[in-house]
Amino acid sequence: MIDLLTFLAEASDSAADAASGAEHEPTLGDTVQEIVSKPEETFSILGQFFEKMWNSILNAIPTILFAILVLVVGIIFTKLSLKLLSRGLKRSKLELTVTKFTSQMVKIVLYTLLVTIVLNILGVPATSIIAVIGTAGVAIGLALQSSLSNVAGGFLLMISKPFKVGDYIVSNGVEGTVSSISIIHTRLETHTNQAVFIPNGLAINATVVNNTCNDTRRVDLTFSISYNDDFPTAQKIILGVMDAHPMVIKDKPAAVRMMEHGSSGIIITARPWCKTADYWDVFFDLTEQVCAAFIENNIEIPFNQLDVHMIENR
């Protein structure tokens, strides 16, 4: 290409010299006329240009093939490394949250390093690659500020550990079991088998209720009895049902107290303790069993009612 441009420039200069006696400058038409007048020389230069281009392609084929080979071997090596890393992390005592997050970060670093090596083999200078990565990083950082806050939130979740994979949490108005914590978001599986994705930036700044981080949990229950029934009798029935349940922890005192004088009856609160994994079993079992015990012992379970007193006109 350079030889062809040089020839065109020389032809233009020749036309200019031939027309030096004229007052006008050489035009493109003069240059084309000079090329047409010397077809052999023109085709010779074009032939040399295409020959050099073909030779350049032939000389670059080994480099291209070597870069492809390095790319394939690098992908295989990266996948094997990630598998070995995953196995090693599983055998370690690290939490599942940390192992998944670490695997994702290592994967990004390895693939970035592989692309850099391949581009360097193809002749792209390392300084240029670093400059492009730096420039792209700044541009992406400005365009994706909210996403970067989520990335920072992911690192903070790894450090502070307000929850981990497997915990049942309530955050940002949704609740569910944490199935994964990625670089950008935290995934929850709800009890209706729906997947909810919470950005890490919101998860780290919002109030999070972790229902499973402790080994034990208190079960708060409420029951109602009629004002005509005896509270100590109802209290004894509830305590008996809780003492008979195998999942209720007997070492911790279970409170059964009168909580409120309701509009239709007396409200009783019961607060037994159980293991966190047994929470819902204890909750539903005690609700059902206390109801059956009340019916068996003729304890009335009140419903909303309204007493109306009529005053006669005098």
Side-chain angles (χ1 to χ4, degrees):
M1 180 64 73
I2 295 176
D3 294 338
L4 181 59
L5 295 176
T6 303
F7 171 72
L8 294 175
E10 291 177 353
S12 178
D13 292 339
S14 298
D17 293 338
S20 58
E23 295 181 356
H24 68 279
E25 295 182 356
T27 62
L28 180 60
D30 297 332
T31 303
V32 173
Q33 184 179 2
E34 183 69 20
I35 294 173
V36 172
S37 64
K38 300 178 180 179
E40 296 83 0
E41 187 175 353
T42 302
F43 285 112
S44 176
I45 294 176
L46 288 175
Q48 293 177 4
F49 165 72
F50 286 113
E51 183 179 359
K52 288 183 179 180
M53 184 174 66
W54 177 249
N55 290 332
S56 299
I57 294 175
L58 291 178
N59 293 331
I61 287 177
T63 303
I64 295 174
L65 292 177
F66 180 65
I68 294 174
L69 178 62
V70 171
L71 178 62
V72 173
V73 173
I75 291 175
I76 296 174
F77 174 78
T78 301
K79 290 183 177 180
L80 290 176
S81 300
L82 292 174
K83 287 184 178 180
L84 293 175
L85 176 64
S86 179
R87 292 178 182 177
L89 291 174
K90 287 181 180 179
R91 294 177 181 177
S92 66
K93 297 181 179 179
L94 295 175
E95 297 177 355
L96 183 61
T97 305
V98 178
T99 59
K100 287 187 176 182
F101 195 85
T102 303
S103 298
Q104 291 177 350
M105 294 302 300
V106 173
K107 182 178 180 180
I108 293 174
V109 172
L110 288 179
Y111 277 110
T112 302
L113 181 61
L114 176 60
V115 172
T116 303
I117 294 174
V118 172
L119 291 177
N120 197 12
I121 292 174
L122 292 174
V124 181
T127 53
S128 300
I129 298 174
I130 295 173
V132 170
I133 293 175
T135 305
V138 174
I140 294 172
L142 294 175
L144 303 175
Q145 295 182 11
S146 59
S147 296
L148 290 178
S149 67
N150 293 329
V151 174
F155 282 105
L156 292 176
L157 289 176
M158 295 299 103
I159 297 173
S160 60
K161 297 180 181 179
F163 53 81
K164 61 182 184 299
V165 173
D167 286 349
Y168 190 90
I169 67 171
V170 180
S171 177
N172 293 281
V174 295
E175 60 181 288
T177 303
V178 180
S179 61
S180 65
I181 302 176
S182 65
I183 299 176
I184 302 297
H185 56 255
T186 296
R187 174 171 176 163
L188 302 183
E189 302 291 342
T190 66
H191 61 277
T192 56
N193 201 29
Q194 293 174 301
V196 179
F197 297 88
I198 302 177
N200 289 334
L202 294 178
I204 197 64
N205 292 318
T207 300
V208 177
V209 179
N210 193 331
N211 293 310
T212 55
C213 63
N214 296 323
D215 295 333
T216 60
R217 188 176 173 188
R218 192 182 73 183
V219 183
D220 292 345
L221 300 167
T222 55
F223 304 101
S224 299
I225 63 172
S226 172
Y227 280 106
N228 297 325
D229 292 316
D230 185 44
F231 167 72
T233 301
Q235 185 181 40
K236 185 183 296 185
I237 292 173
I238 297 173
L239 286 172
V241 171
M242 291 192 299
D243 289 338
H245 199 288
M247 295 182 184
V248 174
I249 298 176
K250 307 303 187 295
D251 296 339
K252 291 190 176 184
V256 178
R257 303 297 299 271
M258 185 184 298
M259 184 174 67
E260 181 185 352
H261 294 165
S263 58
S264 301
I266 297 174
I267 309 299
I268 302 173
T269 180
R271 296 175 178 178
W273 289 81
C274 67
K275 292 182 179 179
T276 302
D278 301 332
Y279 177 85
W280 289 112
D281 289 333
V282 173
F283 181 90
F284 293 123
D285 288 349
L286 292 182
T287 301
E288 295 169 358
Q289 292 171 12
V290 168
C291 179
F294 278 178
I295 295 174
E296 183 180 355
N297 291 273
N298 297 319
I299 299 294
E300 182 183 353
I301 301 175
F303 52 88
N304 290 333
Q305 52 187 334
L306 178 65
D307 292 336
V308 179
H309 299 275
M310 302 294 294
I311 300 177
E312 296 180 358
N313 292 329
R314 296 182 180 178

